[in-house]
């Protein structure tokens, strides 16, 4: 299990100087659970979600589909029972996962993703989506692309868009947006290939950053509150930038875990 | 065997195993030259006339793109992406160990810990006496006499259909029900496909079946099964005699035999913890390392012995590289 971190220092709040377009510290631990096919724990400083993936495995007869895999998502709160909003979050996450997993490859199977919220401090849906992506990669489930998710908040005075808000900022916000973008890396643009570039350390970071390409089309968007269409489009663009940084971090974290494993 | 009263409780330290391996192998000095790909990365097919697309890849807009994160492996014209851990993908001809999950209409559903359950048709089972005849309704009603739900069997993959469902067969005396032994679950990536998956270690009195799906079976060697295995290998002539012997109930294993079985199983668990390939030579090397050091059965999974195994493997690799 590897722990990787990127972003501004611990305890970063806007009061302490985090810019409106800066993400919080990201931490990703892979292969956390023994019995799950794949698992990951994604932490965005105050928010932490543990994702476990079971599958593709034989689906129950009532649930199986003869032509495609069935994706089941279970979203568990830190405390308390599930409410109707959590069920709609499960639907949203399922929709995003069905967009990236080629379901026709595994007929009659089920892929179950269990998300357990361990800590809540804003941007929990994004945290859960990122954890699910890392867990799917850990499980070796084929995907057509990886994705990254980021939350934007529109302040009450409608003047600022904040990236990766914490719980206090989300409460005070007029509107909240959670965008998910698929990304891929253009290896042709990077000066060195992924493995050697990252092994070089600092130089590898910039090489990987240059090559991250976030799609112009979003996989999912979920909003709360009221906002104008201009504000929505601004948030869309800001979220794309944020997802680029999450993508770079995810790639670096994967590189390190593969290097550690391949040297065994 | 020492007193069974004491129970050991150890705090789970995530990452301790990896730290152990890194210390033993001296990883920080090791060069990292493996090229790995992420989901969506393009795999270069330059310099190749044509290629065969394997697991973990798909063709998008004429380009070969990875669908999983892993290391690109090229074998002649086959290009596939090998992940660190994934469920077992059945291939025709694999020897597998599975558990009967259900009996449904002329077939047993066998759980191979793969993506789908596999089917063992009644017509694909070796009948006692080695006779070949049409299965009738009476055979169908007596299916439980062959294999009941929950029993372990060894079988061979007959075919893999387009939708991924697997058909098994036990058309030889060496396949069949497995009793009186221990099952160890191993990640399927650690098992290499080899010519022989049935191993009889006569010096230790152990029978070893390394299933390609990651289930490894260790059992004390029964003289009648040894004869059956030998006969099956030699040819079908001895089938009738072998089946008669196999039908008799096995003698209960002795304490010494049980200890050897447990030691072998622990040796396999050690290899699994250290993510090392599991095959007879590596299992025997670990077993002998434990015997040489006088490690007690319950101490085989302690960090001390794990470190010793890692160091031994490091020495073996460096001497192999020097040759």
């Amino acid at each position: 299990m590897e722990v990787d971190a990127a972003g501004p220092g611990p305890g970063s709040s806007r009061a302490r100087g985090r810019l409106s377009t800066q993400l919080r510290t990201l931490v990703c631990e892979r292969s956390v659970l023994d019995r799950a096919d794949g698992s990951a724990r994604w932490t965005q400083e105050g928010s932490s979600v543990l994702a476990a993936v079971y599958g593709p495995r034989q689906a129950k007869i009532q649930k199986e589909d003869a032509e495609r895999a069935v994706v089941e998502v279970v979203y568990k709160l830190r405390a308390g029972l599930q409410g109707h909003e959590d069920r709609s979050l499960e639907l949203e996450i399922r929709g995003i996962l069905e967009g990236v997993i080629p379901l026709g490859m595994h007929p009659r199977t089920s892929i179950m993703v269990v998300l357990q919220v361990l800590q809540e401090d804003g941007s929990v849906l994004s945290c859960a989506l990122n954890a699910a992506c890392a867990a799917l990669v850990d499980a070796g489930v084929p995907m057509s692309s990886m994705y990254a998710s980021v939350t934007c908040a529109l302040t009450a005075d409608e003047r600022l868009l904040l990236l990766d808000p914490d719980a206090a900022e989300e409460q005070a916000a007029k509107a909240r947006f959670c965008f998910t973008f698929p990304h891929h890396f253009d290896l042709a643009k990077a000066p060195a290939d992924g493995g050697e570039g990252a092994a070089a350390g600092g130089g590898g970071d910039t090489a990987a950053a240059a090559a991250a390409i976030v799609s112009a089309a979003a996989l999912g968007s979920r909003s709360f509150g009221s906002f104008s269409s201009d504000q929505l489009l601004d948030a869309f663009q800001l979220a794309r930038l944020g997802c680029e940084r999450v993508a770079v971090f995810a790639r670096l974290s994967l590189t390190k875990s593969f290097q550690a494993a391949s040297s065994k | 065997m020492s007193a069974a009263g004491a129970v050991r409780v150890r705090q789970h330290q995530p990452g301790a195993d990896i730290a152990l391996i890194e210390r033993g192998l001296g990883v920080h000095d090791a060069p990292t030259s493996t090229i790995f790909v992420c989901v969506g990365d393009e795999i270069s097919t330059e310099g190749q006339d044509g290629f065969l697309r394997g697991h973990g890849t798909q063709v998008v807009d004429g380009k070969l793109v990875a669908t999983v994160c892993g290391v690109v492996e090229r074998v002649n014209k086959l290009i596939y992406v090998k992940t660190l851990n994934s469920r077992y993908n059945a291939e025709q001809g694999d020897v597998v160990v599975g558990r009967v999950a259900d009996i449904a209409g002329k077939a047993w559903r066998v759980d191979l810990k793969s993506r789908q359950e596999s089917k063992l048709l009644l017509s694909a089972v070796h009948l006692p006496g080695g006779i070949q005849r049409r299965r009738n309704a009476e055979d169908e009603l007596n299916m439980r006499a062959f294999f009941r739900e929950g029993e372990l069997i060894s079988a061979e993959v007959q075919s893999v259909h387009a939708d991924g469902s697997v058909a098994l067969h036990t058309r030889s005396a060496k396949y069949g029900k497995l009793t009186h032994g221990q099952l160890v679950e191993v990640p399927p990536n650690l098992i290499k496909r080899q010519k022989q998956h049935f191993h009889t270690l006569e010096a230790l009195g152990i029978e070893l079946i390394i299933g390609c799906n990651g289930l490894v079976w260790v059992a004390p060697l029964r003289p009648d099964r040894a004869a059956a295995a030998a006969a099956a290998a030699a040819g079908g002539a001895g089938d009738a005699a072998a089946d008669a012997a196999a039908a008799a109930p096995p003698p209960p294993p002795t304490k010494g035999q049980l200890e050897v079985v447990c030691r072998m199983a622990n040796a396999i668990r050690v290899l699994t913890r250290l993510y090392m390939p599991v095959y007879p030579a590596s299992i025997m090397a670990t077993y002998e390392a434990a015997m040489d050091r006088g490690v007690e059965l319950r101490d085989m999974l302690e960090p001390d012995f794990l470190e010793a195994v890692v160091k031994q493997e490091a020495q073996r690799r460096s001497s192999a590289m020097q040759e």
Side-chain angles (χ1 to χ4, degrees), chain A residues 1-2 37 56-58 106-109 137-140 142-143 145-146 185 251 254-255 258 261-264, chain B residues 14 18 21 25 27 32 34-36 38-39 41 58 67-70 84-85 87 115-117 163 275 317:
Chain A
M1 202 192 56
E2 297 78 30
D37 286 326
R57 59 179 181 180
Q58 183 76 33
H106 304 293
R108 286 200 209 93
T109 62
V137 163
D138 191 47
M143 293 193 279
S145 79
M146 295 205 291
F185 282 79
R251 175 118 189 167
L254 255 185
T255 316
F258 261 93
S262 62
S263 54
K264 283 184 205 173
Chain B
I18 295 188
I21 295 170
L25 288 183
V27 134
T32 48
T34 29
I35 296 171
F36 91 103
C38 266
V39 172
D41 285 351
Q58 69 181 29
T67 56
V68 290
C69 296
L84 274 184
N85 57 337
R87 292 211 163 208
R115 291 165 205 244
Q116 288 187 45
E117 279 173 349
D163 66 356
Y275 210 75
R317 285 190 194 182

Side-chain angles (χ1 to χ4, degrees), chain A residues 107-141:
Chain A
R108 286 200 209 93
T109 62
S110 95
I111 302 172
M112 176 176 256
V113 180
V114 181
L115 299 159
Q116 170 71 60
V117 177
L118 299 168
Q119 285 172 292
E120 284 174 344
D121 190 20
S123 309
V124 180
L125 178 58
S126 292
C127 199
L129 282 165
N130 291 328
C133 183
L136 284 168
V137 163
D138 191 47
V141 174

Side-chain angles (χ1 to χ4, degrees), chain B residues 279-319:
Chain B
Y279 56 100
S282 68
I283 302 174
M284 282 307 297
T286 314
Y287 178 89
E288 272 153 22
M291 297 300 280
D292 290 343
R293 283 181 176 73
V295 179
E296 273 205 31
L297 185 59
R298 51 160 54 187
D299 290 332
M300 278 179 77
L301 295 174
E302 294 288 321
D304 295 332
F305 182 59
L306 292 179
E307 277 206 53
V309 172
V310 171
K311 288 211 171 74
Q312 191 180 26
E313 173 72 9
Q315 277 179 335
R316 190 192 69 83
R317 285 190 194 182
S318 60
S319 60

